[in-house]
Amino acid sequence: MRSLLKTIAILPLLLLSCNSDDSPLQDHQNDLESLPKDLGGLQKANALGVSDANFGHYIYTPSAYSNDSQDYPLLIFLHGSGERGNSQADPNILKKVLVNGPPKLIEKNEWSPKYPMIVASPQLPSGNWKPEDVHNFITYLIANYNINTKRIYLTGLSLGAFGTFNYISSYGSDAYAAAIIPIAGGGNKNSGDKFTTIPVWAFHGDNDNVVSHNNSVNMIDAINKEHPNTIAKLTIYPNVGHNSWARTYNNSGMGDESNDYDAFDMNIYDWLFLFDK
């Protein structure tokens, strides 16, 4: 009887806690909820040498963004090997960055994450994405745009996925990124301990004959062996080749994933917004 009375006594408090506007989840999202709805912003091309950035790049700013606006989340997109080019020699080369990922969705007016964010898409002139160059590019963006430094996210495909993994492998908890989404890539499986504070959701096709899906499997296994704060996720698409990114960035791959790995059960941008530093 005493136990029953105690339960009855605390039930209203539990209900109040569940219905309160001050729930931890809502508190965590308050900085996002206060952002004006993005009605369609501007994606601007900045060729190499036009600004102080170490990469030529596209920068997307939401419709309500201004020099005096509040700070916005930032998404960095690292392209694959086919989109490399030197826009200082030919500014039109920068357009290669628009063929995949978020910059493509923006260009096609198909960009509609739940909350607005700035999207920066640098172009690699040659070679591979170097962690220090990615870090310096983000430093430039922070200095020149109103960026919520607790909500910086990094994603990349193929060569860019390797760059995404390698950035965290190099900087660990000192990386700017609050969460990452590498697609069709891989990294240094001996660096799993660098990812313990940074959530990871990787994607890959199991018929990828350019970069084996085992590269992603090995990375996620290595990270989870280190008992990260957030368990690293891996979604595999059966009978899909190297291009596993189109269906991931537009979220159309939901339901097509293998049951042997993590489910594609939520919008990837909503997943990113779950995390801050």
Side-chain angles (χ1 to χ4, degrees):
M1 176 63 72
R2 180 179 298 174
S3 176
L4 177 60
L5 290 174
K6 184 177 180 181
T7 300
I8 292 172
I10 67 172
L11 184 58
L13 296 176
L14 291 173
L15 292 174
L16 181 61
S17 174
C18 290
N19 294 322
S20 171
D21 289 338
D22 296 323
S23 67
L25 180 59
Q26 181 158 354
D27 286 346
H28 175 71
Q29 301 274 312
N30 276 346
D31 59 329
L32 299 173
E33 294 289 350
S34 63
L35 291 168
K37 183 175 177 60
D38 187 2
L39 302 177
L42 173 67
Q43 182 161 247
K44 179 183 177 184
N46 291 308
L48 185 62
V50 169
S51 69
D52 293 332
N54 55 335
F55 292 118
H57 61 281
Y58 279 92
I59 185 82
Y60 173 80
T61 50
S63 56
Y65 179 87
S66 71
N67 291 336
D68 299 322
S69 64
Q70 65 194 93
D71 293 342
Y72 280 75
L74 169 66
L75 177 66
I76 307 291
F77 166 69
L78 304 183
H79 63 68
S81 60
E83 289 77 65
R84 289 177 291 197
N86 188 339
S87 59
Q88 190 164 21
D90 180 1
N92 287 324
I93 286 179
L94 189 58
K95 292 180 180 178
K96 295 170 72 175
V97 174
L98 300 176
V99 302
N100 290 308
K104 178 181 180 180
L105 295 175
I106 292 168
E107 200 70 8
K108 294 174 63 180
N109 294 316
E110 296 176 359
W111 179 247
S112 59
K114 182 177 181 180
Y115 300 107
M117 54 180 158
I118 295 169
V119 181
S121 306
Q123 184 177 43
L124 185 65
S126 61
N128 300 318
W129 294 103
K130 297 179 180 178
E132 60 271 24
D133 290 340
V134 173
H135 195 77
N136 290 339
F137 179 64
I138 301 174
T139 301
Y140 161 82
L141 294 171
I142 292 171
N144 287 275
Y145 294 89
N146 297 333
I147 295 197
N148 181 345
T149 55
K150 292 183 177 181
R151 292 190 178 277
I152 296 175
Y153 308 112
L154 186 63
T155 184
L157 62 88
S158 192
L159 184 72
F162 279 92
T164 299
F165 272 127
N166 290 340
Y167 174 60
I168 306 302
S169 293
S170 179
Y171 282 86
S173 60
D174 291 330
Y176 285 120
I180 65 170
I181 296 179
I183 306 172
N188 178 5
K189 63 182 181 180
N190 295 318
S191 64
D193 60 323
K194 297 291 188 177
F195 294 79
T196 55
T197 63
I198 300 168
V200 181
W201 191 359
F203 291 79
H204 221 121
D206 71 355
N207 271 358
D208 190 336
N209 59 10
V210 177
V211 178
S212 170
H213 74 285
N214 289 324
N215 286 274
S216 287
V217 172
N218 291 338
M219 277 302 298
I220 298 305
D221 284 348
I223 294 168
N224 284 333
K225 284 179 181 177
E226 300 296 333
H227 308 289
N229 295 344
T230 301
I231 296 175
K233 297 170 58 172
L234 173 61
T235 296
I236 298 288
Y237 300 110
N239 304 311
V240 169
H242 191 45
N243 184 356
S244 53
W245 51 82
R247 69 195 67 213
T248 303
Y249 284 124
N250 68 12
N251 291 287
S252 67
M254 288 187 188
D256 295 335
E257 72 277 13
S258 169
N259 292 328
D260 295 331
Y261 296 88
D262 292 298
F264 191 176
D265 54 2
M266 72 181 301
N267 181 296
I268 61 169
Y269 309 106
D270 288 351
W271 179 82
L272 288 173
F273 286 135
L274 292 175
F275 307 104
D276 58 14
K277 288 182 78 74

